[in-house]
């Protein structure tokens, strides 16, 4: 009689080399999965808090209030030595800060505040009188980011956090938040929404000619449709800054830097 769902030892052994090969080849991705999903979920259940909330508690007891640089270093230490934070990391952060200093934008729009890490890099590099609007979909994460931004010393006139979906917020930016143009945009939320939101920014005429659009995680997990669009539509000059994930140098990633030429 045939037993459904069983596998003979010979067949299992035949697959063993393949399994071992995959584990070796993707060992860094497996470690990332363990740290960002399995361990995080376990700690969330034990503590009743999210990793971002635990990270903020650590910052409160270890970082200097009013010093964004020290707060960023404290978050990096937490992510490397305590719990992986899935944040931008110091290498990408330096690229971001250098570009903000170079472009000196009057108004910056960030989609995907997360815990506020990249927000601090932008805010500390802004010229006097500039403004940063940052959008976070998850209200619980937004609450953490709000506290971190204020702890770093940035007030609401300089950095305004909007809790809501980027798809819903972008059409309201001009009327509700008095954002007529975004000289620099950082896409740092979910890569599968990058193309949708870029086209929304275009449709609502929020990108002036010469605007800079930065997109994180375009290689891992990747944003192929977004990259294909920006390279083929003829309205953007594209450059890719090759990096890797924080604490996972073997997992390659990149930041796309786009310069908007205008509607054409």
């Amino acid at each position: 009689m045939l037993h459904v769902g069983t596998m003979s030892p010979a067949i299992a052994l035949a697959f063993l080399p393949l399994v071992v090969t995959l584990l070796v080849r993707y060992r860094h991705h497996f470690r990332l999965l363990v740290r960002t999903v399995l361990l995080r979920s376990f700690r969330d259940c034990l503590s009743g808090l999210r990793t971002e909330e635990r990270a903020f508690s650590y910052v409160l007891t270890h970082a200097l209030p009013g010093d964004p640089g020290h707060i960023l270093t404290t978050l990096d230490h937490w992510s490397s030595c305590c719990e992986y934070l899935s944040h931008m990391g110091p290498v990408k952060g330096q690229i971001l800060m250098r570009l903000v200093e170079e472009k000196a934008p009057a108004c910056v729009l960030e989609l995907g505040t997360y815990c506020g890490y990249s927000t601090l890099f932008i805010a500390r590099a802004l010229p006097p009188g500039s403004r940063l609007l940052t959008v976070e979909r998850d209200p619980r994460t937004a609450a953490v980011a709000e506290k971190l931004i204020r702890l770093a010393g940035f007030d609401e006139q300089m950095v305004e956090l909007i809790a809501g979906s980027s798809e819903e917020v972008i059409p309201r930016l001009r009327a509700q938040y008095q954002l007529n143009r975004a000289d620099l945009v950082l896409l740092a939320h979910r890569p599968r929404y990058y193309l949708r939101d870029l086209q929304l920014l275009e449709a609502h005429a929020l990108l002036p000619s010469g605007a800079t659009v930065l997109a994180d995680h375009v290689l891992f997990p990747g944003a192929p449709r977004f990259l294909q669009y920006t390279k083929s539509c003829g309205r953007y000059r594209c450059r890719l800054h090759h990096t890797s994930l924080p604490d996972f140098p073997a997992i390659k990633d990149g930041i796309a830097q786009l310069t908007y030429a205008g509607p054409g």
Side-chain angles (χ1 to χ4, degrees):
M1 182 177 179
L2 179 63
H3 294 280
V4 179
T6 62
M7 179 182 293
S8 72
I11 295 176
L13 285 173
F15 278 101
L16 185 60
L18 175 62
V19 172
V20 171
T21 300
L22 290 175
L23 285 175
V24 171
R25 178 175 296 180
Y26 295 103
R27 62 190 182 279
H28 304 290
H29 297 78
F30 181 71
R31 283 182 53 234
L32 179 65
L33 175 68
V34 169
R35 292 188 67 181
T36 58
V37 178
L38 302 181
L39 287 178
R40 179 177 295 181
S41 298
F42 178 70
R43 288 166 174 154
D44 288 355
C45 289
L46 283 182
S47 67
L49 299 172
R50 293 183 180 179
T51 185
E52 300 83 18
E53 294 166 329
R54 295 191 294 274
F56 180 71
S57 296
Y58 183 83
V59 166
L60 279 177
T61 56
H62 291 81
L64 297 174
D67 187 338
H70 195 258
I71 290 172
L72 288 167
T73 301
T74 304
L75 285 171
D76 289 331
H77 184 269
W78 165 269
S79 185
S80 296
C81 303
C82 301
E83 298 180 40
Y84 192 70
L85 201 53
S86 301
H87 64 323
M88 176 176 276
V91 174
K92 290 181 180 178
Q94 289 299 321
I95 294 172
L96 174 61
M97 193 164 68
R98 175 175 55 80
L99 289 171
V100 174
E101 290 172 344
E102 177 187 312
K103 304 298 180 182
C107 192
V108 178
L109 174 65
E110 178 185 33
L111 301 180
T113 317
Y114 186 46
C115 65
Y117 183 90
S118 54
T119 311
L120 296 192
F121 269 107
I122 297 171
R124 69 192 299 219
L126 284 177
S130 293
R131 180 185 181 208
L132 167 59
L133 286 176
T134 181
V135 181
E136 172 54 44
R137 181 186 187 95
D138 184 271
R140 197 165 163 183
T141 307
V144 173
E146 180 85 42
K147 290 185 286 188
L148 190 83
I149 293 164
R150 306 308 166 214
L151 183 69
F154 300 112
D155 61 26
E156 292 183 1
Q157 288 187 329
M158 183 176 184
V159 181
E160 182 175 356
L161 193 151
I162 305 168
S165 163
S166 55
E167 184 179 21
E168 297 174 353
V169 169
I170 290 172
R172 307 200 315 264
L173 285 172
R174 192 184 302 275
Q176 188 170 343
Y177 298 99
Q178 293 74 55
L179 176 69
N180 295 317
R181 52 183 281 168
D183 303 301
L184 188 146
V185 177
L186 173 63
L187 305 176
H189 48 327
R190 296 184 179 182
R192 67 174 179 267
Y193 297 147
Y194 285 1
L195 178 55
R196 179 200 71 188
D197 289 348
L198 182 68
Q199 292 175 331
L200 274 175
L201 291 169
E202 293 173 349
H204 289 274
L206 291 169
L207 294 177
S209 297
T212 299
V213 179
L214 304 174
D216 195 11
H217 295 305
V218 293
L219 298 184
F220 183 87
R225 291 177 59 246
F226 169 82
L227 291 177
Q228 181 181 17
Y229 172 80
T230 56
K231 290 176 181 178
S232 63
C233 72
R235 293 190 291 275
Y236 296 92
R237 296 197 310 273
C238 304
R239 178 185 177 188
L240 186 62
H241 299 271
H242 289 274
T243 61
S244 59
L245 292 191
D247 301 319
F248 291 90
I251 301 179
K252 302 306 178 185
D253 195 12
I255 296 178
Q257 178 185 346
L258 314 175
T259 303
Y260 184 55

